């Protein structure tokens, strides 16, 4: 299931898209005997055009939680030591032109690797995205 809804509309940007506050959510489920991840859920908020003269930029914050199957085992045949992964994310899409965006992204991951013993992780990136 996927949901995406604009809650408040401020105006319209050059491309005709609505500026304002939106929410999103996603939930997926799979049989535990056939999939490593039993369920996966995401939720968050976005705001388009938050800053003056940046009508097409999007600021977002979200949370992801994945539950690993109780049947999942390591390569050695033992059960995994943990059964979940949780991620908090903040992102910003800087729309430089209609065809180019710079999307910086920051993530904090609790129990990365969905069951492999690992410390929490921080991931930060800046990239570019070209529209097709």
């Amino acid at each position: 299931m996927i949901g995406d809804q604009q809650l408040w509309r401020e105006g319209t940007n050059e491309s005709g898209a609505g500026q304002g506050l939106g929410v999103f959510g996603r939930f997926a489920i799979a049989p535990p005997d056939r999939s490593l991840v039993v369920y996966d859920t995401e939720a968050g908020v976005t705001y388009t055009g938050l800053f003056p003269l940046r009508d097409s930029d999007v600021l977002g914050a979200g949370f992801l939680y994945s539950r690993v199957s109780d049947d999942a085992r390591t390569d050695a045949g033992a059960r995994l030591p943990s059964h979940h992964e949780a991620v908090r994310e903040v992102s910003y899409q800087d729309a430089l032109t209609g065809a180019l965006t710079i999307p910086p992204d920051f993530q904090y991951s609790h129990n990365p690797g969905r069951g492999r013993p690992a410390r929490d992780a921080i991931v930060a990136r800046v990239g570019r995205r070209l529209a097709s």
Side-chain angles (χ1 to χ4, degrees):
M1 293 187 309
I2 297 174
D4 191 354
Q5 180 64 46
Q6 188 172 36
L7 297 179
W8 182 71
R9 187 174 180 143
E10 178 183 333
T12 305
N13 60 24
E14 308 87 37
S15 66
Q19 296 173 255
L21 179 67
V23 295
F24 65 89
R26 183 179 70 85
F27 182 77
I29 190 166
D33 61 339
R34 292 184 208 98
S35 179
L36 175 64
V37 177
V38 178
Y39 70 84
D40 188 64
T41 185
E42 296 176 36
V45 296
T46 60
Y47 200 101
T48 303
L50 180 63
F51 302 112
L53 305 174
R54 304 300 313 166
D55 295 343
S56 296
D57 291 3
V58 181
L59 176 64
F63 179 77
L64 163 103
Y65 181 85
S66 294
R67 173 82 175 151
V68 176
S69 166
D70 288 334
D71 296 336
R73 297 186 178 275
T74 66
D75 294 337
R79 289 195 184 270
L80 294 173
S82 180
H83 287 71
H84 73 279
E85 178 181 36
V87 179
R88 292 169 191 88
E89 178 178 18
V90 176
S91 64
Y92 187 79
Q93 290 186 8
D94 185 355
L96 297 176
T97 70
L100 177 66
T101 62
I102 303 290
D105 186 69
F106 175 82
Q107 297 179 357
Y108 174 81
S109 181
H110 172 69
N111 197 28
R114 296 183 177 139
R116 304 279 185 215
R119 292 185 167 170
D120 293 355
I122 294 174
V123 177
R125 76 172 178 93
V126 176
R128 66 173 186 239
R129 185 175 301 144
L130 298 172
S132 53

